[in-house]
Amino acid sequence: METMVNNIAIEKAKTSKIKDVDFDNLSFGSVYTDHMLVCDYKNGEWSAPKIVPYQPITLDPSAKIFHYGQSIFEGMKAYKDEDEKVWLFRPLENFKRLNKSAKRLAIPELPEAYFMEGLTALIQLESDWVPKNPGSSLYIRPFVFASGKGFHASPAGEYKFIIACAPSGAYFSGKVKVLIEQTYSRAANGGVGYAKAGGNYAGQFYPTQLAAEKGYQQVIWTDDNTHEFIEEAGAMNVFVRINDTLLTAPTNDRILDGITRKSILDIAKDEGIQIEVRKVSVHELVEAAKNGSLKEMFGAGTAAVVSPISAFGYEGVDYDLPELTDSYASRLKKRITDIQYNRAEDKFGWRHEVI
């Protein structure tokens, strides 16, 4: 039986899985809620989204996602405050970036109403799944892929948009040790590095495995041409603090325009932290580590928010970073998470109430 909520058709699951979930011991993205949002593109237009019970997807073996990789996604979170209200963080930025990725991969762009109204209706329905434990949240994964059939190399004629959710604990624990990549590249000029395309992440796995074999948890990606400039940290944007200045690379064809990255830059400016958005060379990083002016490095992204880096490896040498009692990483993470969990004033207007 279907009901309608804010123009969204909802088919509720007959039974809920929530009673079987241990909310005190949640891993990241491995337990899924009772429902998902589905929207299909056929005959040149997107159909109205609907919410259905979480279920497997059936695809033809010739579906173009399997052959030509037309697949994009976003990562978001819903947060529950002490009064049981549920909040999203800058959801319109995720919508805009999803369509930016769609355009680059020749995927039809989504109407804003379908994304925002569908997302809101889904989170309202699944509000009991939003964890209340400190550091926990409901991870939200909107994604679009080519469902149309055909072995010919061309954009598909049909696509599927889905939003699925997973209650999750903290993504990372502790600091990570990273290796500066000198051989492989995450992305190239004119490519799809700025899009959240599934293939970008698939291409990262092998170099990351090689780094793990050497004792590192992640890699620092460098530019594709010379490998002289740092660009991203694993699947996150990267920040470097030299003395009291916070540095990060400018976005370009190769670097994802991270929502957490943008938020950190705005908060740092509000905190009076000196910021430089410019190229940061590996040579500059190594020299700063040697002379003691390198104070911090950290990754920034939706899943981890801020992930401090304890050391980096380059040309067979490991450079340890100092332990700071009042780091920029901890200060900036607290400012962001206090906004996300409705613990502090949101002077930027980033918080979006769901229920």
Side-chain angles (χ1 to χ4, degrees), residues 67-340:
H67 308 282
Y68 304 112
Q70 278 183 291
S71 172
I72 57 174
F73 70 96
E74 278 296 318
M76 311 172 64
K77 288 180 178 179
Y79 310 85
K80 185 169 283 185
D81 68 18
E82 293 181 354
D83 297 323
E84 302 284 314
K85 288 186 177 181
V86 178
W87 306 86
L88 294 168
F89 183 72
R90 309 188 73 174
L92 275 173
E93 293 296 324
N94 291 99
F95 164 71
K96 293 173 185 176
R97 191 172 62 185
L98 186 73
N99 271 350
K100 184 177 179 180
S101 299
K103 186 174 182 178
R104 180 61 183 84
L105 271 73
I107 294 172
E109 296 178 44
L110 279 157
E112 180 180 324
Y114 284 11
F115 183 92
M116 290 301 298
E117 291 175 11
L119 173 65
T120 300
L122 179 62
I123 303 308
Q124 288 174 343
L125 180 64
E126 305 287 62
S127 61
D128 288 343
W129 285 87
V130 184
K132 292 178 283 188
N133 293 0
S136 297
S137 58
L138 182 68
Y139 187 77
I140 304 163
R141 173 54 60 85
F143 59 104
V144 186
F145 63 90
S147 55
K149 298 183 290 184
F151 289 145
H152 49 289
S154 61
E158 297 180 1
Y159 298 85
K160 192 174 287 287
F161 168 54
I162 294 175
I163 304 179
C165 305
S168 299
Y171 188 64
F172 289 121
S173 59
K175 294 187 176 183
V176 296
K177 184 179 177 183
V178 300
L179 178 66
I180 294 181
E181 182 57 53
Q182 298 174 261
T183 302
Y184 296 96
S185 298
R186 177 188 173 275
N189 289 329
V192 297
Y194 68 88
K196 280 191 75 73
N200 289 345
Y201 297 80
Q204 294 184 31
F205 295 153
Y206 177 64
T208 304
Q209 286 178 352
L210 296 179
E213 292 170 2
K214 298 176 182 177
Y216 301 91
Q217 286 81 47
Q218 275 294 351
V219 299
I220 294 287
W221 299 105
T222 51
D223 67 287
D224 64 303
N225 188 29
T226 65
H227 296 290
E228 291 180 4
F229 299 96
I230 66 170
E231 296 198 331
E232 292 201 350
M236 298 181 288
N237 295 117
V238 64
F239 285 83
V240 173
R241 175 184 173 185
I242 296 179
N243 290 320
D244 290 331
T245 301
L246 191 63
L247 311 172
T248 194
T251 55
N252 54 35
D253 285 351
R254 304 182 305 276
I255 297 177
L256 187 73
D257 188 10
I259 294 164
T260 306
R261 173 189 177 276
K262 289 192 285 193
S263 303
I264 284 175
L265 289 173
D266 286 343
I267 290 173
K269 183 178 179 180
D270 186 64
E271 293 258 329
I273 295 171
Q274 185 174 341
I275 304 163
E276 292 183 12
V277 179
R278 63 168 174 82
K279 291 182 177 182
V280 180
S281 72
V282 177
H283 175 75
E284 180 182 9
L285 193 66
V286 170
E287 287 303 307
K290 287 179 178 179
N291 65 32
S293 61
L294 178 62
K295 305 301 183 184
E296 296 180 64
M297 292 176 63
F298 56 88
T302 298
V305 185
V306 170
S307 183
I309 292 170
S310 62
F312 70 90
Y314 180 67
E315 292 188 342
V317 179
D318 286 345
Y319 299 89
D320 293 321
L321 278 82
E323 291 280 350
L324 301 179
T325 55
D326 182 26
S327 67
Y328 284 178
S330 60
R331 285 170 58 187
L332 294 167
K333 181 175 183 176
K334 186 177 188 304
R335 280 288 304 271
I336 290 178
T337 55
D338 281 351
I339 292 172
Q340 291 170 335

